[in-house]
Amino acid sequence: MTATHHPSLAGRNTADLLPAAPAGGGTVRRIAEIPGGAAAVGPFSQAVVANGFVFTAGQIPAVSGLDDQPESFADQVRQTIRNLESVLIAAGSGLEHVVKVNTYLTDPGQLEEYNRVYVEFFGAAKPARTSVCVSLWGVSLEIECVAVVAGEASAAEAP
């Protein structure tokens, strides 16, 4: 395939723009379901583990399904982060290994309360984060993240 959408890419093969495959072939592991968690609401993996990182799908405040969510916004945030933690644990990581968080809120007025609950789970770790206000289907927030696989994190921190 040839790139033609940008003048600087005209005539270039888009395969030349992609990073080379990791040495050793790299592995990709897809986690479709989390034991005890709510089922995904679409055709996607709950997480993908690739090259030492965990990429999660957006997690919502569902306990057992969309019709089973906590009443208060603060408890919805807690449930969403617990769901995120379950996905990370299933992928071999945890909240302490999160490096980037993307948060989707449905009302800008939620940000202050969201931050209060967020600190309960991430404390001083402070991963990089983006928070935006969007329209969502049947939920007040969604959170996704990127984390380092636990063994990879330990190796990376060693001198």
Side-chain angles (χ1 to χ4, degrees):
M1 183 160 129
T2 303
T4 57
H5 59 281
H6 192 278
S8 67
L9 302 177
R12 290 186 64 187
N13 185 329
T14 54
D16 296 339
L17 304 174
L18 300 174
T27 60
V28 175
R29 183 169 54 104
R30 299 175 197 289
I31 300 169
E33 295 179 16
I34 305 304
V41 295
F44 55 84
S45 297
Q46 292 284 5
V48 175
V49 180
N51 300 321
F53 289 95
V54 179
F55 301 87
T56 72
Q59 299 300 304
I60 59 176
V63 177
S64 62
L66 280 174
D67 294 334
D68 185 11
Q69 297 179 38
E71 291 289 325
S72 75
F73 179 71
D75 286 340
Q76 290 176 13
V77 175
R78 287 181 187 96
Q79 183 62 47
T80 302
I81 295 174
R82 284 185 200 110
N83 292 347
L84 187 66
E85 183 175 36
S86 294
V87 171
L88 290 169
I89 290 168
S93 189
L95 292 175
E96 69 277 13
H97 299 297
V98 172
V99 295
K100 174 71 167 112
V101 173
N102 291 325
T103 302
Y104 307 93
L105 302 173
T106 56
D107 179 347
Q110 297 168 320
L111 186 60
E112 189 175 320
E113 188 170 10
Y114 173 78
N115 283 336
R116 278 195 300 274
V117 177
Y118 182 89
V119 170
E120 293 173 17
F121 292 86
F122 290 101
K126 295 184 182 174
R129 189 180 94 186
T130 300
S131 299
V132 296
C133 192
V134 300
S135 178
L136 296 169
W137 300 277
V139 294
S140 60
L141 77 152
E142 185 169 337
I143 305 172
E144 65 182 20
C145 74
V146 177
V148 178
V149 174
E152 302 287 332
S154 300
E157 295 167 6

PDB file of all heavy atoms in Angstrom, residues 36-70:
ATOM      1  N   GLY A  36     -15.240 -13.710  36.743  1.00  0.00           N
ATOM      2  CA  GLY A  36     -15.988 -12.965  37.749  1.00  0.00           C
ATOM      3  C   GLY A  36     -16.359 -11.553  37.340  1.00  0.00           C
ATOM      4  O   GLY A  36     -17.066 -10.866  38.060  1.00  0.00           O
ATOM      5  N   GLY A  37     -15.870 -11.090  36.189  1.00  0.00           N
ATOM      6  CA  GLY A  37     -16.163  -9.736  35.743  1.00  0.00           C
ATOM      7  C   GLY A  37     -17.341  -9.694  34.787  1.00  0.00           C
ATOM      8  O   GLY A  37     -17.787 -10.722  34.284  1.00  0.00           O
ATOM      9  N   ALA A  38     -17.819  -8.497  34.544  1.00  0.00           N
ATOM     10  CA  ALA A  38     -18.904  -8.310  33.581  1.00  0.00           C
ATOM     11  C   ALA A  38     -18.372  -8.634  32.184  1.00  0.00           C
ATOM     12  O   ALA A  38     -17.200  -8.380  31.876  1.00  0.00           O
ATOM     13  CB  ALA A  38     -19.410  -6.867  33.631  1.00  0.00           C
ATOM     14  N   ALA A  39     -19.222  -9.186  31.361  1.00  0.00           N
ATOM     15  CA  ALA A  39     -18.826  -9.513  29.983  1.00  0.00           C
ATOM     16  C   ALA A  39     -18.602  -8.230  29.192  1.00  0.00           C
ATOM     17  O   ALA A  39     -19.218  -7.197  29.461  1.00  0.00           O
ATOM     18  CB  ALA A  39     -19.911 -10.352  29.322  1.00  0.00           C
ATOM     19  N   ALA A  40     -17.710  -8.303  28.223  1.00  0.00           N
ATOM     20  CA  ALA A  40     -17.471  -7.167  27.330  1.00  0.00           C
ATOM     21  C   ALA A  40     -18.766  -6.839  26.598  1.00  0.00           C
ATOM     22  O   ALA A  40     -19.559  -7.724  26.282  1.00  0.00           O
ATOM     23  CB  ALA A  40     -16.367  -7.507  26.343  1.00  0.00           C
ATOM     24  N   VAL A  41     -18.987  -5.568  26.310  1.00  0.00           N
ATOM     25  CA  VAL A  41     -20.219  -5.151  25.645  1.00  0.00           C
ATOM     26  C   VAL A  41     -20.061  -5.065  24.127  1.00  0.00           C
ATOM     27  O   VAL A  41     -20.872  -4.455  23.455  1.00  0.00           O
ATOM     28  CB  VAL A  41     -20.741  -3.805  26.214  1.00  0.00           C
ATOM     29  CG1 VAL A  41     -21.139  -3.960  27.663  1.00  0.00           C
ATOM     30  CG2 VAL A  41     -19.701  -2.717  26.046  1.00  0.00           C
ATOM     31  N   GLY A  42     -19.013  -5.682  23.608  1.00  0.00           N
ATOM     32  CA  GLY A  42     -18.783  -5.677  22.168  1.00  0.00           C
ATOM     33  C   GLY A  42     -17.715  -6.680  21.792  1.00  0.00           C
ATOM     34  O   GLY A  42     -17.165  -7.371  22.650  1.00  0.00           O
ATOM     35  N   PRO A  43     -17.401  -6.747  20.502  1.00  0.00           N
ATOM     36  CA  PRO A  43     -16.405  -7.714  20.019  1.00  0.00           C
ATOM     37  C   PRO A  43     -14.968  -7.195  20.165  1.00  0.00           C
ATOM     38  O   PRO A  43     -14.361  -6.738  19.205  1.00  0.00           O
ATOM     39  CB  PRO A  43     -16.800  -7.893  18.546  1.00  0.00           C
ATOM     40  CG  PRO A  43     -17.374  -6.561  18.171  1.00  0.00           C
ATOM     41  CD  PRO A  43     -18.060  -6.041  19.407  1.00  0.00           C
ATOM     42  N   PHE A  44     -14.459  -7.237  21.392  1.00  0.00           N
ATOM     43  CA  PHE A  44     -13.092  -6.770  21.644  1.00  0.00           C
ATOM     44  C   PHE A  44     -12.494  -7.520  22.823  1.00  0.00           C
ATOM     45  O   PHE A  44     -13.211  -8.141  23.603  1.00  0.00           O
ATOM     46  CB  PHE A  44     -13.062  -5.257  21.912  1.00  0.00           C
ATOM     47  CG  PHE A  44     -13.965  -4.800  23.032  1.00  0.00           C
ATOM     48  CD1 PHE A  44     -13.553  -4.855  24.351  1.00  0.00           C
ATOM     49  CD2 PHE A  44     -15.231  -4.315  22.752  1.00  0.00           C
ATOM     50  CE1 PHE A  44     -14.376  -4.432  25.385  1.00  0.00           C
ATOM     51  CE2 PHE A  44     -16.072  -3.886  23.777  1.00  0.00           C
ATOM     52  CZ  PHE A  44     -15.640  -3.949  25.095  1.00  0.00           C
ATOM     53  N   SER A  45     -11.197  -7.437  22.952  1.00  0.00           N
ATOM     54  CA  SER A  45     -10.487  -8.025  24.089  1.00  0.00           C
ATOM     55  C   SER A  45     -10.555  -7.054  25.263  1.00  0.00           C
ATOM     56  O   SER A  45     -10.515  -5.836  25.074  1.00  0.00           O
ATOM     57  CB  SER A  45      -9.019  -8.277  23.730  1.00  0.00           C
ATOM     58  OG  SER A  45      -8.919  -9.214  22.690  1.00  0.00           O
ATOM     59  N   GLN A  46     -10.611  -7.596  26.469  1.00  0.00           N
ATOM     60  CA  GLN A  46     -10.547  -6.749  27.669  1.00  0.00           C
ATOM     61  C   GLN A  46      -9.149  -6.157  27.826  1.00  0.00           C
ATOM     62  O   GLN A  46      -8.989  -5.069  28.358  1.00  0.00           O
ATOM     63  CB  GLN A  46     -10.919  -7.558  28.913  1.00  0.00           C
ATOM     64  CG  GLN A  46     -12.360  -7.986  28.948  1.00  0.00           C
ATOM     65  CD  GLN A  46     -13.300  -6.857  29.321  1.00  0.00           C
ATOM     66  OE1 GLN A  46     -12.922  -5.715  29.481  1.00  0.00           O
ATOM     67  NE2 GLN A  46     -14.567  -7.200  29.457  1.00  0.00           N
ATOM     68  N   ALA A  47      -8.141  -6.901  27.353  1.00  0.00           N
ATOM     69  CA  ALA A  47      -6.763  -6.419  27.388  1.00  0.00           C
ATOM     70  C   ALA A  47      -5.960  -7.153  26.335  1.00  0.00           C
ATOM     71  O   ALA A  47      -6.293  -8.273  25.954  1.00  0.00           O
ATOM     72  CB  ALA A  47      -6.134  -6.640  28.764  1.00  0.00           C
ATOM     73  N   VAL A  48      -4.890  -6.506  25.899  1.00  0.00           N
ATOM     74  CA  VAL A  48      -3.917  -7.126  25.006  1.00  0.00           C
ATOM     75  C   VAL A  48      -2.555  -6.905  25.650  1.00  0.00           C
ATOM     76  O   VAL A  48      -2.214  -5.784  26.037  1.00  0.00           O
ATOM     77  CB  VAL A  48      -3.965  -6.502  23.596  1.00  0.00           C
ATOM     78  CG1 VAL A  48      -2.858  -7.073  22.721  1.00  0.00           C
ATOM     79  CG2 VAL A  48      -5.325  -6.728  22.951  1.00  0.00           C
ATOM     80  N   VAL A  49      -1.801  -7.988  25.773  1.00  0.00           N
ATOM     81  CA  VAL A  49      -0.450  -7.916  26.323  1.00  0.00           C
ATOM     82  C   VAL A  49       0.509  -8.061  25.146  1.00  0.00           C
ATOM     83  O   VAL A  49       0.440  -9.044  24.408  1.00  0.00           O
ATOM     84  CB  VAL A  49      -0.202  -9.039  27.355  1.00  0.00           C
ATOM     85  CG1 VAL A  49       1.209  -8.944  27.921  1.00  0.00           C
ATOM     86  CG2 VAL A  49      -1.247  -8.980  28.467  1.00  0.00           C
ATOM     87  N   ALA A  50       1.386  -7.078  24.983  1.00  0.00           N
ATOM     88  CA  ALA A  50       2.330  -7.107  23.868  1.00  0.00           C
ATOM     89  C   ALA A  50       3.622  -6.413  24.273  1.00  0.00           C
ATOM     90  O   ALA A  50       3.593  -5.314  24.836  1.00  0.00           O
ATOM     91  CB  ALA A  50       1.736  -6.413  22.645  1.00  0.00           C
ATOM     92  N   ASN A  51       4.735  -7.080  24.029  1.00  0.00           N
ATOM     93  CA  ASN A  51       6.061  -6.506  24.244  1.00  0.00           C
ATOM     94  C   ASN A  51       6.250  -5.886  25.627  1.00  0.00           C
ATOM     95  O   ASN A  51       6.834  -4.826  25.776  1.00  0.00           O
ATOM     96  CB  ASN A  51       6.366  -5.471  23.160  1.00  0.00           C
ATOM     97  CG  ASN A  51       6.330  -6.087  21.786  1.00  0.00           C
ATOM     98  OD1 ASN A  51       6.785  -7.213  21.594  1.00  0.00           O
ATOM     99  ND2 ASN A  51       5.764  -5.383  20.831  1.00  0.00           N
ATOM    100  N   GLY A  52       5.738  -6.568  26.648  1.00  0.00           N
ATOM    101  CA  GLY A  52       5.946  -6.119  28.024  1.00  0.00           C
ATOM    102  C   GLY A  52       4.947  -5.094  28.521  1.00  0.00           C
ATOM    103  O   GLY A  52       5.080  -4.596  29.635  1.00  0.00           O
ATOM    104  N   PHE A  53       3.956  -4.756  27.705  1.00  0.00           N
ATOM    105  CA  PHE A  53       2.937  -3.789  28.103  1.00  0.00           C
ATOM    106  C   PHE A  53       1.558  -4.418  28.067  1.00  0.00           C
ATOM    107  O   PHE A  53       1.292  -5.317  27.279  1.00  0.00           O
ATOM    108  CB  PHE A  53       2.932  -2.570  27.168  1.00  0.00           C
ATOM    109  CG  PHE A  53       4.124  -1.681  27.339  1.00  0.00           C
ATOM    110  CD1 PHE A  53       5.227  -1.820  26.521  1.00  0.00           C
ATOM    111  CD2 PHE A  53       4.148  -0.706  28.332  1.00  0.00           C
ATOM    112  CE1 PHE A  53       6.337  -1.012  26.666  1.00  0.00           C
ATOM    113  CE2 PHE A  53       5.252   0.109  28.483  1.00  0.00           C
ATOM    114  CZ  PHE A  53       6.347  -0.035  27.655  1.00  0.00           C
ATOM    115  N   VAL A  54       0.667  -3.894  28.913  1.00  0.00           N
ATOM    116  CA  VAL A  54      -0.743  -4.289  28.911  1.00  0.00           C
ATOM    117  C   VAL A  54      -1.537  -3.079  28.435  1.00  0.00           C
ATOM    118  O   VAL A  54      -1.406  -1.982  28.992  1.00  0.00           O
ATOM    119  CB  VAL A  54      -1.233  -4.662  30.330  1.00  0.00           C
ATOM    120  CG1 VAL A  54      -2.707  -5.034  30.304  1.00  0.00           C
ATOM    121  CG2 VAL A  54      -0.396  -5.766  30.920  1.00  0.00           C
ATOM    122  N   PHE A  55      -2.346  -3.280  27.413  1.00  0.00           N
ATOM    123  CA  PHE A  55      -3.228  -2.246  26.884  1.00  0.00           C
ATOM    124  C   PHE A  55      -4.652  -2.692  27.200  1.00  0.00           C
ATOM    125  O   PHE A  55      -5.095  -3.725  26.692  1.00  0.00           O
ATOM    126  CB  PHE A  55      -3.044  -2.110  25.369  1.00  0.00           C
ATOM    127  CG  PHE A  55      -1.639  -1.771  24.975  1.00  0.00           C
ATOM    128  CD1 PHE A  55      -0.694  -2.777  24.784  1.00  0.00           C
ATOM    129  CD2 PHE A  55      -1.244  -0.452  24.795  1.00  0.00           C
ATOM    130  CE1 PHE A  55       0.611  -2.473  24.423  1.00  0.00           C
ATOM    131  CE2 PHE A  55       0.060  -0.140  24.432  1.00  0.00           C
ATOM    132  CZ  PHE A  55       0.997  -1.152  24.248  1.00  0.00           C
ATOM    133  N   THR A  56      -5.349  -1.942  28.046  1.00  0.00           N
ATOM    134  CA  THR A  56      -6.700  -2.366  28.424  1.00  0.00           C
ATOM    135  C   THR A  56      -7.750  -1.713  27.537  1.00  0.00           C
ATOM    136  O   THR A  56      -7.551  -0.610  27.019  1.00  0.00           O
ATOM    137  CB  THR A  56      -7.036  -2.019  29.887  1.00  0.00           C
ATOM    138  OG1 THR A  56      -7.220  -0.601  30.010  1.00  0.00           O
ATOM    139  CG2 THR A  56      -5.969  -2.529  30.841  1.00  0.00           C
ATOM    140  N   ALA A  57      -8.865  -2.396  27.407  1.00  0.00           N
ATOM    141  CA  ALA A  57     -10.056  -1.782  26.825  1.00  0.00           C
ATOM    142  C   ALA A  57     -10.635  -0.861  27.893  1.00  0.00           C
ATOM    143  O   ALA A  57     -10.313  -0.980  29.075  1.00  0.00           O
ATOM    144  CB  ALA A  57     -11.065  -2.862  26.448  1.00  0.00           C
ATOM    145  N   GLY A  58     -11.494   0.032  27.483  1.00  0.00           N
ATOM    146  CA  GLY A  58     -12.146   0.908  28.451  1.00  0.00           C
ATOM    147  C   GLY A  58     -12.996   0.102  29.410  1.00  0.00           C
ATOM    148  O   GLY A  58     -13.745  -0.780  28.995  1.00  0.00           O
ATOM    149  N   GLN A  59     -12.848   0.402  30.685  1.00  0.00           N
ATOM    150  CA  GLN A  59     -13.635  -0.272  31.719  1.00  0.00           C
ATOM    151  C   GLN A  59     -14.709   0.693  32.214  1.00  0.00           C
ATOM    152  O   GLN A  59     -14.492   1.904  32.282  1.00  0.00           O
ATOM    153  CB  GLN A  59     -12.743  -0.722  32.873  1.00  0.00           C
ATOM    154  CG  GLN A  59     -11.675  -1.719  32.451  1.00  0.00           C
ATOM    155  CD  GLN A  59     -12.276  -2.983  31.855  1.00  0.00           C
ATOM    156  OE1 GLN A  59     -13.093  -3.640  32.479  1.00  0.00           O
ATOM    157  NE2 GLN A  59     -11.856  -3.325  30.640  1.00  0.00           N
ATOM    158  N   ILE A  60     -15.852   0.133  32.558  1.00  0.00           N
ATOM    159  CA  ILE A  60     -17.003   0.916  32.990  1.00  0.00           C
ATOM    160  C   ILE A  60     -17.419   0.469  34.397  1.00  0.00           C
ATOM    161  O   ILE A  60     -16.916  -0.526  34.901  1.00  0.00           O
ATOM    162  CB  ILE A  60     -18.160   0.772  31.978  1.00  0.00           C
ATOM    163  CG1 ILE A  60     -18.575  -0.705  31.832  1.00  0.00           C
ATOM    164  CG2 ILE A  60     -17.756   1.354  30.621  1.00  0.00           C
ATOM    165  CD1 ILE A  60     -19.778  -0.927  30.927  1.00  0.00           C
ATOM    166  N   PRO A  61     -18.361   1.177  35.025  1.00  0.00           N
ATOM    167  CA  PRO A  61     -18.722   0.835  36.406  1.00  0.00           C
ATOM    168  C   PRO A  61     -19.660  -0.359  36.555  1.00  0.00           C
ATOM    169  O   PRO A  61     -20.290  -0.525  37.593  1.00  0.00           O
ATOM    170  CB  PRO A  61     -19.378   2.120  36.922  1.00  0.00           C
ATOM    171  CG  PRO A  61     -19.863   2.827  35.729  1.00  0.00           C
ATOM    172  CD  PRO A  61     -18.932   2.461  34.614  1.00  0.00           C
ATOM    173  N   ALA A  62     -19.747  -1.210  35.562  1.00  0.00           N
ATOM    174  CA  ALA A  62     -20.634  -2.374  35.637  1.00  0.00           C
ATOM    175  C   ALA A  62     -20.112  -3.380  36.655  1.00  0.00           C
ATOM    176  O   ALA A  62     -18.924  -3.696  36.676  1.00  0.00           O
ATOM    177  CB  ALA A  62     -20.737  -3.038  34.274  1.00  0.00           C
ATOM    178  N   VAL A  63     -21.004  -3.881  37.490  1.00  0.00           N
ATOM    179  CA  VAL A  63     -20.652  -4.933  38.449  1.00  0.00           C
ATOM    180  C   VAL A  63     -20.822  -6.281  37.755  1.00  0.00           C
ATOM    181  O   VAL A  63     -19.874  -7.028  37.601  1.00  0.00           O
ATOM    182  CB  VAL A  63     -21.502  -4.839  39.734  1.00  0.00           C
ATOM    183  CG1 VAL A  63     -21.183  -5.983  40.676  1.00  0.00           C
ATOM    184  CG2 VAL A  63     -21.288  -3.495  40.417  1.00  0.00           C
ATOM    185  N   SER A  64     -22.042  -6.577  37.300  1.00  0.00           N
ATOM    186  CA  SER A  64     -22.280  -7.829  36.577  1.00  0.00           C
ATOM    187  C   SER A  64     -22.807  -7.574  35.166  1.00  0.00           C
ATOM    188  O   SER A  64     -22.911  -8.486  34.365  1.00  0.00           O
ATOM    189  CB  SER A  64     -23.265  -8.714  37.349  1.00  0.00           C
ATOM    190  OG  SER A  64     -24.506  -8.059  37.472  1.00  0.00           O
ATOM    191  N   GLY A  65     -23.140  -6.324  34.867  1.00  0.00           N
ATOM    192  CA  GLY A  65     -23.667  -5.934  33.568  1.00  0.00           C
ATOM    193  C   GLY A  65     -24.077  -4.477  33.599  1.00  0.00           C
ATOM    194  O   GLY A  65     -24.018  -3.828  34.644  1.00  0.00           O
ATOM    195  N   LEU A  66     -24.495  -3.933  32.462  1.00  0.00           N
ATOM    196  CA  LEU A  66     -24.866  -2.518  32.387  1.00  0.00           C
ATOM    197  C   LEU A  66     -25.990  -2.132  33.344  1.00  0.00           C
ATOM    198  O   LEU A  66     -26.055  -0.992  33.801  1.00  0.00           O
ATOM    199  CB  LEU A  66     -25.276  -2.152  30.956  1.00  0.00           C
ATOM    200  CG  LEU A  66     -24.130  -1.898  29.986  1.00  0.00           C
ATOM    201  CD1 LEU A  66     -24.662  -1.687  28.571  1.00  0.00           C
ATOM    202  CD2 LEU A  66     -23.301  -0.716  30.418  1.00  0.00           C
ATOM    203  N   ASP A  67     -26.865  -3.079  33.671  1.00  0.00           N
ATOM    204  CA  ASP A  67     -27.974  -2.789  34.574  1.00  0.00           C
ATOM    205  C   ASP A  67     -27.589  -2.875  36.045  1.00  0.00           C
ATOM    206  O   ASP A  67     -28.415  -2.631  36.916  1.00  0.00           O
ATOM    207  CB  ASP A  67     -29.137  -3.752  34.306  1.00  0.00           C
ATOM    208  CG  ASP A  67     -29.750  -3.545  32.934  1.00  0.00           C
ATOM    209  OD1 ASP A  67     -29.645  -2.425  32.404  1.00  0.00           O
ATOM    210  OD2 ASP A  67     -30.315  -4.510  32.392  1.00  0.00           O
ATOM    211  N   ASP A  68     -26.342  -3.219  36.318  1.00  0.00           N
ATOM    212  CA  ASP A  68     -25.866  -3.394  37.693  1.00  0.00           C
ATOM    213  C   ASP A  68     -24.667  -2.470  37.919  1.00  0.00           C
ATOM    214  O   ASP A  68     -23.519  -2.862  37.720  1.00  0.00           O
ATOM    215  CB  ASP A  68     -25.474  -4.863  37.917  1.00  0.00           C
ATOM    216  CG  ASP A  68     -25.076  -5.159  39.357  1.00  0.00           C
ATOM    217  OD1 ASP A  68     -25.295  -4.298  40.239  1.00  0.00           O
ATOM    218  OD2 ASP A  68     -24.527  -6.255  39.586  1.00  0.00           O
ATOM    219  N   GLN A  69     -24.969  -1.218  38.307  1.00  0.00           N
ATOM    220  CA  GLN A  69     -23.940  -0.214  38.554  1.00  0.00           C
ATOM    221  C   GLN A  69     -24.198   0.452  39.899  1.00  0.00           C
ATOM    222  O   GLN A  69     -25.350   0.596  40.310  1.00  0.00           O
ATOM    223  CB  GLN A  69     -23.963   0.871  37.464  1.00  0.00           C
ATOM    224  CG  GLN A  69     -23.662   0.361  36.075  1.00  0.00           C
ATOM    225  CD  GLN A  69     -23.726   1.485  35.049  1.00  0.00           C
ATOM    226  OE1 GLN A  69     -23.321   2.598  35.320  1.00  0.00           O
ATOM    227  NE2 GLN A  69     -24.233   1.169  33.876  1.00  0.00           N
ATOM    228  N   PRO A  70     -23.140   0.885  40.588  1.00  0.00           N
ATOM    229  CA  PRO A  70     -23.334   1.598  41.851  1.00  0.00           C
ATOM    230  C   PRO A  70     -24.150   2.875  41.643  1.00  0.00           C
ATOM    231  O   PRO A  70     -24.159   3.445  40.550  1.00  0.00           O
ATOM    232  CB  PRO A  70     -21.908   1.943  42.293  1.00  0.00           C
ATOM    233  CG  PRO A  70     -21.047   0.947  41.589  1.00  0.00           C
ATOM    234  CD  PRO A  70     -21.725   0.691  40.280  1.00  0.00           C
TER     235      PRO A  70
END
